[in-house]
Amino acid sequence: PLKLKQCHGTCSLNLLLCPEMLAPPAPVRFHSVDYKNVLHWSPPNNGSSLQYHVQWKIYGEPEWLDVDRCQGVQRLDCDLSGVTSDPREWYYARVRAVSPSTSSQSAWALSPRFSPRMDTIISPPGLRVNFTERGIMVRVNPPRMHVRRMRNLLRYKIYIIPSSGEEDVVQMGCCTRNLTLKDLHHNSKYCLQAQTVIPTQTKSSARSRLQCGTTV
Ligand SMILES: *[C@@H]1O[C@H](CO)[C@@H](O)[C@H](O)[C@H]1NC(C)=O
Ligand SMILES: *[C@@H]1O[C@H](CO)[C@@H](O)[C@H](O)[C@H]1NC(C)=O
Ligand SMILES: *[C@@H]1O[C@H](CO)[C@@H](O)[C@H](O)[C@H]1NC(C)=O
């Protein structure tokens, strides 16, 4: 083990000196949905029963910090939402593999630079519709935001798609999740979709699945 440890410093200079050195995990990437920021990686070639260590830092800071819950783990992902919770910051993470049986370890594998605000994918809202005599009652259910203060910024668009003719879109007002659509043709088929938008960030989700019905 001692010999291997001394070897680590020179491995990057000459791999032949250190045949047991592990290849690093690759690729290392953030995947972020609704500000839940999870780092993913793949095992190095021929990597089995390895453990992984994860560190993170804010872009521009010199110091790498351990992610406490992701030291010596065997799984291939690590939730960094807690330490990467400022949407305006840029972050890096890095992972290295360790083989407990041979006590060899890999070099660090670095993630691309990650911006929660730019890189997160926003989910569509849940959509419930009810075709009634008073019109189509629409209710949206917001996606679960992992950064609490993002919840107040969410708005919703409702797409109204008649079986023939142009689709229409209505943006719901601030702070409401209910809407009644009136003045539609009677006894006609309509489909609806909902979309989450964050106007202040010019971000939007995909559209929800179609919900269809016939007006009274
Ligand atoms: C994987 O590593 C083991 C032990 O280091 C070695 O015996 C084996 O040949 C390797 N397999 C491949 C496919 O490289
Ligand atoms: C739809 O609206 C009607 C009339 O308001 C109500 O009686 C019914 O329970 C509603 N259905 C659903 C599934 O919400
Ligand atoms: C929105 O609609 C739901 C049923 O679709 C109802 O339970 C709720 O009270 C409504 N909320 C408001 C603010 O109108």
Side-chain angles (χ1 to χ4, degrees):
L2 183 61
K3 201 165 148 221
L4 273 174
K5 271 198 183 121
Q6 289 171 336
C7 195
H8 288 146
T10 55
C11 280
S12 54
L13 299 176
N14 188 344
L15 281 170
L16 291 176
L17 287 178
C18 194
E20 297 219 34
M21 180 156 180
L22 288 171
V28 176
R29 299 229 177 287
F30 278 90
H31 182 66
S32 176
V33 176
D34 301 330
Y35 289 100
K36 181 176 177 138
N37 310 326
V38 181
L39 194 72
H40 293 266
W41 58 91
S42 299
N45 286 336
N46 200 11
S48 60
S49 64
L50 296 179
Q51 295 179 352
Y52 300 94
H53 296 259
V54 181
Q55 294 186 331
W56 71 283
K57 71 171 183 164
I58 292 178
Y59 176 66
E61 298 280 321
E63 210 179 338
W64 287 96
L65 300 166
D66 284 345
V67 181
D68 289 339
R69 283 174 305 118
C70 302
Q71 300 300 312
V73 294
Q74 289 190 298
R75 59 179 194 275
L76 300 173
D77 56 69
C78 176
D79 187 346
L80 277 85
S81 305
V83 290
T84 57
S85 64
D86 186 343
R88 296 160 306 179
E89 280 293 356
W90 293 85
Y91 298 97
Y92 279 119
R94 64 182 190 177
V95 184
R96 86 171 159 203
V98 172
S99 167
S101 54
T102 63
S103 67
S104 59
Q105 64 183 17
S106 78
W108 289 103
L110 186 65
S111 76
R113 194 169 65 162
F114 170 70
S115 158
R117 178 170 157 164
M118 308 269 281
D119 297 337
T120 202
I121 295 166
I122 302 295
S123 301
L127 172 64
R128 287 221 317 254
V129 299
N130 188 356
F131 289 72
T132 72
E133 283 173 3
R134 286 185 291 147
I136 307 177
M137 319 279 277
V138 176
R139 179 159 175 79
V140 294
N141 205 12
R144 187 169 162 255
M145 285 290 132
H146 291 259
V147 173
R148 193 172 281 273
R149 69 193 147 92
M150 288 296 142
R151 288 172 205 175
N152 300 330
L153 303 180
L154 299 180
R155 302 289 180 271
Y156 308 97
K157 282 184 179 170
I158 305 297
Y159 294 84
I160 304 148
I161 307 159
S163 50
S164 65
E166 293 280 299
E167 76 171 23
D168 205 354
V169 57
V170 177
Q171 172 140 5
M172 291 172 72
C174 164
C175 324
T176 177
R177 300 179 194 172
N178 285 13
L179 182 69
T180 305
L181 300 170
K182 296 173 180 160
D183 304 325
L184 298 168
H185 296 296
H186 294 287
N187 197 25
S188 304
K189 191 183 168 197
Y190 286 91
C191 292
L192 286 87
Q193 286 179 304
Q195 182 181 40
T196 310
V197 295
I198 306 182
T200 52
Q201 298 181 359
T202 58
K203 279 186 96 71
S204 55
S205 73
R207 296 188 191 189
S208 66
R209 282 196 305 157
L210 287 167
Q211 305 268 340
C212 303
T214 303
T215 51
V216 178

PDB file of all heavy atoms in Angstrom, residues 30 39 53-57 63-67 70-71 80 92-96 108:
ATOM      1  N   PHE A  30     -23.968  17.024 -14.234  1.00  0.00           N
ATOM      2  CA  PHE A  30     -25.144  17.391 -13.450  1.00  0.00           C
ATOM      3  C   PHE A  30     -26.395  17.132 -14.286  1.00  0.00           C
ATOM      4  O   PHE A  30     -26.402  17.356 -15.494  1.00  0.00           O
ATOM      5  CB  PHE A  30     -25.120  18.879 -13.102  1.00  0.00           C
ATOM      6  CG  PHE A  30     -24.269  19.215 -11.913  1.00  0.00           C
ATOM      7  CD1 PHE A  30     -22.924  19.536 -12.074  1.00  0.00           C
ATOM      8  CD2 PHE A  30     -24.804  19.208 -10.638  1.00  0.00           C
ATOM      9  CE1 PHE A  30     -22.137  19.856 -10.983  1.00  0.00           C
ATOM     10  CE2 PHE A  30     -24.023  19.527  -9.537  1.00  0.00           C
ATOM     11  CZ  PHE A  30     -22.689  19.856  -9.712  1.00  0.00           C
ATOM     12  N   LEU A  39     -25.663  14.946  -9.358  1.00  0.00           N
ATOM     13  CA  LEU A  39     -24.473  14.604 -10.133  1.00  0.00           C
ATOM     14  C   LEU A  39     -24.514  13.111 -10.489  1.00  0.00           C
ATOM     15  O   LEU A  39     -24.842  12.281  -9.628  1.00  0.00           O
ATOM     16  CB  LEU A  39     -23.236  14.912  -9.290  1.00  0.00           C
ATOM     17  CG  LEU A  39     -21.909  14.927 -10.019  1.00  0.00           C
ATOM     18  CD1 LEU A  39     -21.810  16.164 -10.910  1.00  0.00           C
ATOM     19  CD2 LEU A  39     -20.754  14.903  -9.022  1.00  0.00           C
ATOM     20  N   HIS A  53     -15.807   9.177  -4.243  1.00  0.00           N
ATOM     21  CA  HIS A  53     -15.738  10.349  -3.367  1.00  0.00           C
ATOM     22  C   HIS A  53     -16.076  11.573  -4.194  1.00  0.00           C
ATOM     23  O   HIS A  53     -15.562  11.733  -5.303  1.00  0.00           O
ATOM     24  CB  HIS A  53     -14.334  10.480  -2.766  1.00  0.00           C
ATOM     25  CG  HIS A  53     -13.969   9.331  -1.881  1.00  0.00           C
ATOM     26  ND1 HIS A  53     -14.020   9.410  -0.513  1.00  0.00           N
ATOM     27  CD2 HIS A  53     -13.578   8.072  -2.176  1.00  0.00           C
ATOM     28  CE1 HIS A  53     -13.666   8.237   0.011  1.00  0.00           C
ATOM     29  NE2 HIS A  53     -13.386   7.406  -0.991  1.00  0.00           N
ATOM     30  N   VAL A  54     -16.927  12.420  -3.642  1.00  0.00           N
ATOM     31  CA  VAL A  54     -17.411  13.583  -4.385  1.00  0.00           C
ATOM     32  C   VAL A  54     -17.037  14.866  -3.652  1.00  0.00           C
ATOM     33  O   VAL A  54     -17.182  14.952  -2.424  1.00  0.00           O
ATOM     34  CB  VAL A  54     -18.955  13.510  -4.563  1.00  0.00           C
ATOM     35  CG1 VAL A  54     -19.462  14.713  -5.354  1.00  0.00           C
ATOM     36  CG2 VAL A  54     -19.353  12.210  -5.249  1.00  0.00           C
ATOM     37  N   GLN A  55     -16.550  15.831  -4.420  1.00  0.00           N
ATOM     38  CA  GLN A  55     -16.297  17.171  -3.894  1.00  0.00           C
ATOM     39  C   GLN A  55     -16.972  18.208  -4.783  1.00  0.00           C
ATOM     40  O   GLN A  55     -17.302  17.934  -5.928  1.00  0.00           O
ATOM     41  CB  GLN A  55     -14.787  17.451  -3.847  1.00  0.00           C
ATOM     42  CG  GLN A  55     -14.046  16.560  -2.852  1.00  0.00           C
ATOM     43  CD  GLN A  55     -12.587  16.953  -2.716  1.00  0.00           C
ATOM     44  OE1 GLN A  55     -11.978  17.471  -3.647  1.00  0.00           O
ATOM     45  NE2 GLN A  55     -12.030  16.707  -1.541  1.00  0.00           N
ATOM     46  N   TRP A  56     -17.162  19.382  -4.240  1.00  0.00           N
ATOM     47  CA  TRP A  56     -17.800  20.468  -5.003  1.00  0.00           C
ATOM     48  C   TRP A  56     -17.121  21.771  -4.665  1.00  0.00           C
ATOM     49  O   TRP A  56     -16.430  21.895  -3.649  1.00  0.00           O
ATOM     50  CB  TRP A  56     -19.284  20.562  -4.643  1.00  0.00           C
ATOM     51  CG  TRP A  56     -19.515  21.094  -3.259  1.00  0.00           C
ATOM     52  CD1 TRP A  56     -19.358  20.412  -2.088  1.00  0.00           C
ATOM     53  CD2 TRP A  56     -19.879  22.429  -2.911  1.00  0.00           C
ATOM     54  NE1 TRP A  56     -19.621  21.219  -1.030  1.00  0.00           N
ATOM     55  CE2 TRP A  56     -19.947  22.484  -1.499  1.00  0.00           C
ATOM     56  CE3 TRP A  56     -20.170  23.581  -3.639  1.00  0.00           C
ATOM     57  CZ2 TRP A  56     -20.289  23.638  -0.809  1.00  0.00           C
ATOM     58  CZ3 TRP A  56     -20.517  24.736  -2.950  1.00  0.00           C
ATOM     59  CH2 TRP A  56     -20.570  24.752  -1.549  1.00  0.00           C
ATOM     60  N   LYS A  57     -17.325  22.766  -5.532  1.00  0.00           N
ATOM     61  CA  LYS A  57     -16.936  24.128  -5.190  1.00  0.00           C
ATOM     62  C   LYS A  57     -17.691  25.124  -6.050  1.00  0.00           C
ATOM     63  O   LYS A  57     -18.259  24.781  -7.096  1.00  0.00           O
ATOM     64  CB  LYS A  57     -15.431  24.335  -5.352  1.00  0.00           C
ATOM     65  CG  LYS A  57     -14.943  24.356  -6.772  1.00  0.00           C
ATOM     66  CD  LYS A  57     -13.486  24.784  -6.787  1.00  0.00           C
ATOM     67  CE  LYS A  57     -12.967  24.882  -8.205  1.00  0.00           C
ATOM     68  NZ  LYS A  57     -11.718  25.641  -8.260  1.00  0.00           N
ATOM     69  N   GLU A  63     -11.126  26.519  -3.094  1.00  0.00           N
ATOM     70  CA  GLU A  63     -11.172  25.348  -2.232  1.00  0.00           C
ATOM     71  C   GLU A  63     -12.237  24.342  -2.641  1.00  0.00           C
ATOM     72  O   GLU A  63     -13.394  24.702  -2.851  1.00  0.00           O
ATOM     73  CB  GLU A  63     -11.483  25.816  -0.807  1.00  0.00           C
ATOM     74  CG  GLU A  63     -10.899  24.931   0.254  1.00  0.00           C
ATOM     75  CD  GLU A  63     -11.240  25.477   1.644  1.00  0.00           C
ATOM     76  OE1 GLU A  63     -11.527  26.687   1.764  1.00  0.00           O
ATOM     77  OE2 GLU A  63     -11.241  24.678   2.579  1.00  0.00           O
ATOM     78  N   TRP A  64     -11.841  23.073  -2.720  1.00  0.00           N
ATOM     79  CA  TRP A  64     -12.797  21.988  -2.920  1.00  0.00           C
ATOM     80  C   TRP A  64     -13.300  21.529  -1.567  1.00  0.00           C
ATOM     81  O   TRP A  64     -12.527  21.409  -0.611  1.00  0.00           O
ATOM     82  CB  TRP A  64     -12.135  20.817  -3.629  1.00  0.00           C
ATOM     83  CG  TRP A  64     -11.861  21.079  -5.066  1.00  0.00           C
ATOM     84  CD1 TRP A  64     -10.683  21.511  -5.603  1.00  0.00           C
ATOM     85  CD2 TRP A  64     -12.777  20.942  -6.151  1.00  0.00           C
ATOM     86  NE1 TRP A  64     -10.805  21.652  -6.960  1.00  0.00           N
ATOM     87  CE2 TRP A  64     -12.093  21.307  -7.332  1.00  0.00           C
ATOM     88  CE3 TRP A  64     -14.117  20.554  -6.241  1.00  0.00           C
ATOM     89  CZ2 TRP A  64     -12.708  21.284  -8.583  1.00  0.00           C
ATOM     90  CZ3 TRP A  64     -14.718  20.526  -7.484  1.00  0.00           C
ATOM     91  CH2 TRP A  64     -14.010  20.889  -8.643  1.00  0.00           C
ATOM     92  N   LEU A  65     -14.584  21.205  -1.486  1.00  0.00           N
ATOM     93  CA  LEU A  65     -15.185  20.763  -0.233  1.00  0.00           C
ATOM     94  C   LEU A  65     -15.793  19.380  -0.430  1.00  0.00           C
ATOM     95  O   LEU A  65     -16.400  19.104  -1.471  1.00  0.00           O
ATOM     96  CB  LEU A  65     -16.293  21.744   0.196  1.00  0.00           C
ATOM     97  CG  LEU A  65     -15.830  23.180   0.418  1.00  0.00           C
ATOM     98  CD1 LEU A  65     -17.014  24.134   0.489  1.00  0.00           C
ATOM     99  CD2 LEU A  65     -14.996  23.256   1.687  1.00  0.00           C
ATOM    100  N   ASP A  66     -15.645  18.539   0.586  1.00  0.00           N
ATOM    101  CA  ASP A  66     -16.267  17.216   0.527  1.00  0.00           C
ATOM    102  C   ASP A  66     -17.783  17.339   0.581  1.00  0.00           C
ATOM    103  O   ASP A  66     -18.315  18.163   1.327  1.00  0.00           O
ATOM    104  CB  ASP A  66     -15.841  16.367   1.728  1.00  0.00           C
ATOM    105  CG  ASP A  66     -14.421  15.845   1.587  1.00  0.00           C
ATOM    106  OD1 ASP A  66     -13.872  15.900   0.467  1.00  0.00           O
ATOM    107  OD2 ASP A  66     -13.871  15.388   2.608  1.00  0.00           O
ATOM    108  N   VAL A  67     -18.473  16.517  -0.188  1.00  0.00           N
ATOM    109  CA  VAL A  67     -19.916  16.357  -0.005  1.00  0.00           C
ATOM    110  C   VAL A  67     -20.076  15.238   1.021  1.00  0.00           C
ATOM    111  O   VAL A  67     -19.791  14.072   0.726  1.00  0.00           O
ATOM    112  CB  VAL A  67     -20.618  15.976  -1.325  1.00  0.00           C
ATOM    113  CG1 VAL A  67     -22.122  15.852  -1.112  1.00  0.00           C
ATOM    114  CG2 VAL A  67     -20.313  16.994  -2.412  1.00  0.00           C
ATOM    115  N   CYS A  70     -21.570  11.822   0.365  1.00  0.00           N
ATOM    116  CA  CYS A  70     -21.107  11.102  -0.820  1.00  0.00           C
ATOM    117  C   CYS A  70     -19.600  10.848  -0.735  1.00  0.00           C
ATOM    118  O   CYS A  70     -18.828  11.207  -1.631  1.00  0.00           O
ATOM    119  CB  CYS A  70     -21.476  11.863  -2.077  1.00  0.00           C
ATOM    120  SG  CYS A  70     -23.246  12.161  -2.245  1.00  0.00           S
ATOM    121  N   GLN A  71     -19.178  10.256   0.371  1.00  0.00           N
ATOM    122  CA  GLN A  71     -17.787   9.842   0.545  1.00  0.00           C
ATOM    123  C   GLN A  71     -17.764   8.317   0.672  1.00  0.00           C
ATOM    124  O   GLN A  71     -18.432   7.768   1.545  1.00  0.00           O
ATOM    125  CB  GLN A  71     -17.182  10.478   1.804  1.00  0.00           C
ATOM    126  CG  GLN A  71     -17.184  12.004   1.786  1.00  0.00           C
ATOM    127  CD  GLN A  71     -16.381  12.554   0.615  1.00  0.00           C
ATOM    128  OE1 GLN A  71     -15.242  12.136   0.362  1.00  0.00           O
ATOM    129  NE2 GLN A  71     -16.970  13.476  -0.122  1.00  0.00           N
ATOM    130  N   LEU A  80     -26.674  17.019  -5.003  1.00  0.00           N
ATOM    131  CA  LEU A  80     -25.969  18.201  -4.503  1.00  0.00           C
ATOM    132  C   LEU A  80     -26.887  19.409  -4.355  1.00  0.00           C
ATOM    133  O   LEU A  80     -26.419  20.536  -4.252  1.00  0.00           O
ATOM    134  CB  LEU A  80     -24.794  18.567  -5.434  1.00  0.00           C
ATOM    135  CG  LEU A  80     -23.504  17.784  -5.199  1.00  0.00           C
ATOM    136  CD1 LEU A  80     -23.524  16.481  -5.929  1.00  0.00           C
ATOM    137  CD2 LEU A  80     -22.297  18.587  -5.613  1.00  0.00           C
ATOM    138  N   TYR A  92     -18.871  23.666  -9.724  1.00  0.00           N
ATOM    139  CA  TYR A  92     -18.184  22.490 -10.262  1.00  0.00           C
ATOM    140  C   TYR A  92     -18.310  21.366  -9.258  1.00  0.00           C
ATOM    141  O   TYR A  92     -18.405  21.608  -8.049  1.00  0.00           O
ATOM    142  CB  TYR A  92     -16.686  22.746 -10.420  1.00  0.00           C
ATOM    143  CG  TYR A  92     -16.290  23.495 -11.658  1.00  0.00           C
ATOM    144  CD1 TYR A  92     -15.642  24.719 -11.544  1.00  0.00           C
ATOM    145  CD2 TYR A  92     -16.498  22.967 -12.915  1.00  0.00           C
ATOM    146  CE1 TYR A  92     -15.239  25.414 -12.673  1.00  0.00           C
ATOM    147  CE2 TYR A  92     -16.096  23.646 -14.051  1.00  0.00           C
ATOM    148  CZ  TYR A  92     -15.476  24.874 -13.919  1.00  0.00           C
ATOM    149  OH  TYR A  92     -15.084  25.543 -15.031  1.00  0.00           O
ATOM    150  N   ALA A  93     -18.249  20.137  -9.753  1.00  0.00           N
ATOM    151  CA  ALA A  93     -18.107  18.991  -8.855  1.00  0.00           C
ATOM    152  C   ALA A  93     -17.059  18.072  -9.462  1.00  0.00           C
ATOM    153  O   ALA A  93     -16.746  18.181 -10.658  1.00  0.00           O
ATOM    154  CB  ALA A  93     -19.431  18.264  -8.694  1.00  0.00           C
ATOM    155  N   ARG A  94     -16.504  17.218  -8.635  1.00  0.00           N
ATOM    156  CA  ARG A  94     -15.549  16.231  -9.150  1.00  0.00           C
ATOM    157  C   ARG A  94     -15.678  14.935  -8.360  1.00  0.00           C
ATOM    158  O   ARG A  94     -16.101  14.934  -7.202  1.00  0.00           O
ATOM    159  CB  ARG A  94     -14.118  16.773  -9.120  1.00  0.00           C
ATOM    160  CG  ARG A  94     -13.590  17.063  -7.740  1.00  0.00           C
ATOM    161  CD  ARG A  94     -12.188  17.649  -7.837  1.00  0.00           C
ATOM    162  NE  ARG A  94     -11.553  17.726  -6.527  1.00  0.00           N
ATOM    163  CZ  ARG A  94     -10.308  18.147  -6.322  1.00  0.00           C
ATOM    164  NH1 ARG A  94      -9.556  18.540  -7.347  1.00  0.00           N
ATOM    165  NH2 ARG A  94      -9.800  18.170  -5.103  1.00  0.00           N
ATOM    166  N   VAL A  95     -15.319  13.855  -9.018  1.00  0.00           N
ATOM    167  CA  VAL A  95     -15.505  12.512  -8.450  1.00  0.00           C
ATOM    168  C   VAL A  95     -14.234  11.724  -8.676  1.00  0.00           C
ATOM    169  O   VAL A  95     -13.605  11.835  -9.742  1.00  0.00           O
ATOM    170  CB  VAL A  95     -16.667  11.763  -9.163  1.00  0.00           C
ATOM    171  CG1 VAL A  95     -16.914  10.414  -8.514  1.00  0.00           C
ATOM    172  CG2 VAL A  95     -17.936  12.588  -9.154  1.00  0.00           C
ATOM    173  N   ARG A  96     -13.870  10.934  -7.690  1.00  0.00           N
ATOM    174  CA  ARG A  96     -12.820   9.965  -7.959  1.00  0.00           C
ATOM    175  C   ARG A  96     -13.189   8.595  -7.435  1.00  0.00           C
ATOM    176  O   ARG A  96     -13.983   8.464  -6.502  1.00  0.00           O
ATOM    177  CB  ARG A  96     -11.474  10.432  -7.445  1.00  0.00           C
ATOM    178  CG  ARG A  96     -11.178  10.125  -6.030  1.00  0.00           C
ATOM    179  CD  ARG A  96      -9.717  10.462  -5.784  1.00  0.00           C
ATOM    180  NE  ARG A  96      -9.488  10.661  -4.384  1.00  0.00           N
ATOM    181  CZ  ARG A  96      -8.472  11.375  -3.900  1.00  0.00           C
ATOM    182  NH1 ARG A  96      -7.625  11.976  -4.710  1.00  0.00           N
ATOM    183  NH2 ARG A  96      -8.312  11.486  -2.615  1.00  0.00           N
ATOM    184  N   TRP A 108      -9.059  12.738 -10.196  1.00  0.00           N
ATOM    185  CA  TRP A 108     -10.390  13.357 -10.120  1.00  0.00           C
ATOM    186  C   TRP A 108     -10.944  13.543 -11.530  1.00  0.00           C
ATOM    187  O   TRP A 108     -10.225  13.955 -12.430  1.00  0.00           O
ATOM    188  CB  TRP A 108     -10.300  14.725  -9.444  1.00  0.00           C
ATOM    189  CG  TRP A 108     -10.019  14.665  -7.983  1.00  0.00           C
ATOM    190  CD1 TRP A 108      -8.818  14.911  -7.372  1.00  0.00           C
ATOM    191  CD2 TRP A 108     -10.945  14.364  -6.936  1.00  0.00           C
ATOM    192  NE1 TRP A 108      -8.945  14.776  -6.013  1.00  0.00           N
ATOM    193  CE2 TRP A 108     -10.243  14.438  -5.723  1.00  0.00           C
ATOM    194  CE3 TRP A 108     -12.299  14.029  -6.911  1.00  0.00           C
ATOM    195  CZ2 TRP A 108     -10.845  14.193  -4.490  1.00  0.00           C
ATOM    196  CZ3 TRP A 108     -12.895  13.794  -5.680  1.00  0.00           C
ATOM    197  CH2 TRP A 108     -12.173  13.874  -4.491  1.00  0.00           C
TER     198      TRP A 108
END
